[in-house]
Amino acid sequence: MIRPLIITSLTKTFDTASGPHIAVKDFDATVQPGEFVSLLGHSGCGKSTVLAIVAGLQQATLGGVIVDGREIDGPGLERALVFQSPCLLPWCNTRENVMLAVRQAHPKLNPKEQKELARKYLNLVGVSEFENTLPAELSQGTQQRVAIARALSLEPRFLLLDEPFGMLDSMTRFELQDLVLELWEKDRKTCILVTHDIDEALYLSDRIILMTDGPESKVGLELPITLPRPRDRRELADNQEYYRLRKVVIDFLEHHSRQFTQEKAA
Ligand SMILES: Nc1ncnc2c1ncn2[C@@H]1O[C@H](COP(=O)(O)OP(=O)(O)OP(=O)(O)O)[C@@H](O)[C@H]1O
Ligand SMILES: [Mg+2]
């Protein structure tokens, strides 16, 4: 049985020169299998901290993250992370970059099978033609496609995305949002996306988790996004519900990120 991912009473305190800084306090959320959830909030509210703890890259000070009924204690191949920067090895071509992940996740495959798997994922994100190209010769958008291929090649159940489109121009950002949506529609991996782009969160998500401002940030509002799927950017431009939801998010971010209550969203 596939169980939800549970973030429970998550608190993260950083030791800083001026004393302990409680970035996140008592953050609770449950993400259902196959759900696409966005974490949205002002810069510095703790979105990346929460995601890094879910990825197992940082440790919670209190509370934790439960996957498959067990508290995680570090990174795992079932949770793949994509960052804002593609983080590709500059001396390896795109296929070799993906191969590094494939070898880690599929050590029992022979080298030929591993190569085929890397190609499969490069093909899935539409960059097959660049398999022998070094990252520096590619646009930022294409590099980010390779980073997505590398994450998918782990065949994870959870795709964790920390502002993966943040460095892209708006047209490329739309293309990559569409790619992620298309991939998600295909196999419904559980996705957690960190973003501060309201339209991106609305376009992609089943639910937006809005975080209060830090320090001691936590969940301020959980907003279900019931817009019909498959979604079309142009159709949403005429959708009343889209604008209602957008207004709820803007109200939260502009005025209420500290004291907004769930009732106001109704
Ligand atoms: N290693 C660290 N040491 C001390 N403070 C930290 C550390 N990492 C994060 N913080 C602080 O914790 C808070 C949350 O940071 P975090 O990077 O999670 O925010 P964010 O919501 O992802 O911001 P952004 O939208 O700018 O990426 C911030 O106040 C930040 O300065
Ligand atoms: Mg961040």
Side-chain angles (χ1 to χ4, degrees), residues 46-64:
K47 305 179 293 294
S48 296
T49 300
V50 171
L51 200 70
I53 294 171
V54 172
L57 299 180
Q58 285 188 28
Q59 278 213 315
T61 309
L62 289 170

Side-chain angles (χ1 to χ4, degrees), residues 82-88 140 143-147 150 167:
V82 178
F83 296 101
Q84 189 173 48
S85 158
C87 305
L88 302 174
Q140 195 73 25
Q143 288 187 41
Q144 199 57 317
R145 282 178 188 260
V146 177
R150 182 181 53 192
M167 280 164 67

Side-chain angles (χ1 to χ4, degrees), residues 44 46-49 162-163 194 196:
K47 305 179 293 294
S48 296
T49 300
D162 192 347
E163 299 201 44
V194 160
H196 38 57

Side-chain angles (χ1 to χ4, degrees), residues 39-235:
L39 277 185
L40 188 69
H42 286 295
S43 185
C45 75
K47 305 179 293 294
S48 296
T49 300
V50 171
L51 200 70
I53 294 171
V54 172
L57 299 180
Q58 285 188 28
Q59 278 213 315
T61 309
L62 289 170
V65 178
I66 296 167
V67 172
D68 294 334
R70 283 187 40 227
E71 188 170 347
I72 60 159
D73 59 3
L77 291 170
E78 79 284 0
R79 283 164 280 134
L81 189 57
V82 178
F83 296 101
Q84 189 173 48
S85 158
C87 305
L88 302 174
L89 294 181
W91 57 87
C92 291
N93 66 30
T94 65
R95 191 188 60 246
E96 286 157 354
N97 265 285
V98 177
M99 284 285 280
L100 291 171
V102 170
R103 281 192 206 105
Q104 204 190 349
H106 311 281
K108 290 192 178 139
L109 295 182
N110 67 42
K112 189 164 171 280
E113 290 167 329
Q114 288 174 337
K115 196 169 177 177
E116 283 316 308
L117 202 58
R119 283 193 171 130
K120 172 184 152 181
Y121 285 102
L122 287 171
N123 185 36
L124 198 65
V125 302
V127 296
S128 294
E129 64 193 290
F130 301 118
E131 67 166 293
N132 294 313
T133 310
L134 292 175
E137 294 167 40
L138 298 169
S139 69
Q140 195 73 25
T142 306
Q143 288 187 41
Q144 199 57 317
R145 282 178 188 260
V146 177
I148 293 169
R150 182 181 53 192
L152 294 176
S153 76
L154 297 171
E155 303 191 335
R157 285 189 290 118
F158 302 93
L159 194 55
L160 311 176
L161 305 157
D162 192 347
E163 299 201 44
F165 318 122
M167 280 164 67
L168 307 175
D169 64 84
S170 56
M171 290 314 291
T172 311
R173 192 178 316 157
F174 286 173
E175 282 173 19
L176 282 238
Q177 287 168 353
D178 288 339
L179 171 70
V180 165
L181 204 50
E182 197 186 302
L183 293 168
W184 179 82
E185 295 282 1
K186 262 186 211 153
D187 66 0
R188 303 265 167 158
K189 274 186 207 315
T190 310
C191 281
I192 307 179
L193 168 74
V194 160
T195 182
H196 38 57
D197 181 329
I198 298 168
D199 291 302
E200 179 170 293
L202 286 168
Y203 183 48
L204 298 176
S205 313
D206 291 319
R207 184 158 51 102
I208 300 178
I209 297 178
L210 285 149
M211 289 178 70
T212 61
D213 292 345
E216 301 194 7
S217 84
K218 58 180 190 305
V219 175
L221 177 71
E222 295 196 45
L223 192 62
I225 310 301
T226 51
L227 298 165
R229 293 189 187 268
R231 291 184 188 157
D232 180 311
R233 212 181 287 285
R234 280 156 304 178
E235 279 172 22

